[in-house]
């Protein structure tokens, strides 16, 4: 599988497994900053991308398209030049999957707070998060007021 042109946009990087693996190996994490042009300019990423080989697992594809499963499974193993290999790490359902909601909510909250802090003054994102997590408050919030609250600085 040929790597996509990850220099074209952050969206292309988001859909490139080679890019994701390379950044995770280099940094030990993957967050929204890792898709920025500045990060993508690191020449080590392209070197690792060129060394990354992908193979489709037909069972993963079948389960992804099966409405009863809808898995977004992936697995990774790192093999070094000397033949040493890491353990096979498999994720059948990533943190964003509905079956892992309890695990995903703290991650989603952290991401929301980090991103909202870049846009709004102190406390605004926290207040919005609290209101959205109160089902009664969120359900009774008129759509026009909600959308207006997102655009105000």
């Amino acid at each position: 599988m040929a790597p996509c042109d990850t220099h074209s946009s952050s969206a292309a990087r988001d859909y490139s497994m080679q890019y994701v693996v390379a950044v995770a190996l280099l940094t030990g994490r993957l967050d929204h900053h890792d898709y920025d042009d500045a990060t993508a300019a690191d020449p080590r990423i392209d070197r690792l991308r060129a060394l990354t080989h992908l193979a489709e697992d037909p069972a993963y594809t079948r389960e992804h398209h099966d409405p009863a499963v809808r898995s977004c499974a992936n697995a990774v193993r790192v093999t070094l030049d000397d033949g040493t290999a890491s353990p096979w790490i498999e994720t059948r359902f990533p943190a964003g999957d509905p079956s892992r909601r309890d695990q995903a909510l703290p991650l989603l909250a952290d991401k929301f707070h980090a991103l909202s802090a870049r846009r709004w003054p102190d406390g605004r994102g926290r207040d919005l998060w609290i209101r959205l997590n109160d089902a009664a408050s969120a359900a009774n919030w008129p759509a026009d007021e909600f959308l207006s609250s997102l655009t105000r600085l």
Side-chain angles (χ1 to χ4, degrees), residues 32-108:
H32 65 280
H33 295 293
D34 296 317
Y35 297 100
D36 293 345
D37 291 344
T39 301
D42 184 337
R44 299 175 303 164
I45 294 173
D46 283 338
R47 183 170 180 328
L48 284 173
R49 285 179 55 229
L51 296 170
T52 303
H53 303 283
L54 302 178
E56 177 189 9
D57 182 324
Y60 289 178
T61 302
R62 191 171 44 258
E63 289 178 355
H64 178 75
H65 293 291
D66 182 344
V69 180
R70 299 304 286 180
S71 172
C72 287
N74 281 288
V76 66
R77 173 181 291 144
V78 176
T79 304
L80 303 177
D81 288 341
D82 68 2
T84 305
S86 73
W88 180 261
I89 306 294
E90 178 184 57
T91 300
R92 306 288 293 176
F93 297 94
D97 189 84
S99 69
R100 294 183 60 190
R101 182 174 173 81
D102 290 343
Q103 295 167 318
L105 282 176
L107 300 172
L108 182 60

Side-chain angles (χ1 to χ4, degrees), residues 1-6 12 16-19 46 49-52 54:
M1 179 177 293
C4 68
D5 177 11
T6 58
S16 169
M17 187 60 78
Q18 295 98 331
Y19 183 87
D46 283 338
R49 285 179 55 229
L51 296 170
T52 303
L54 302 178

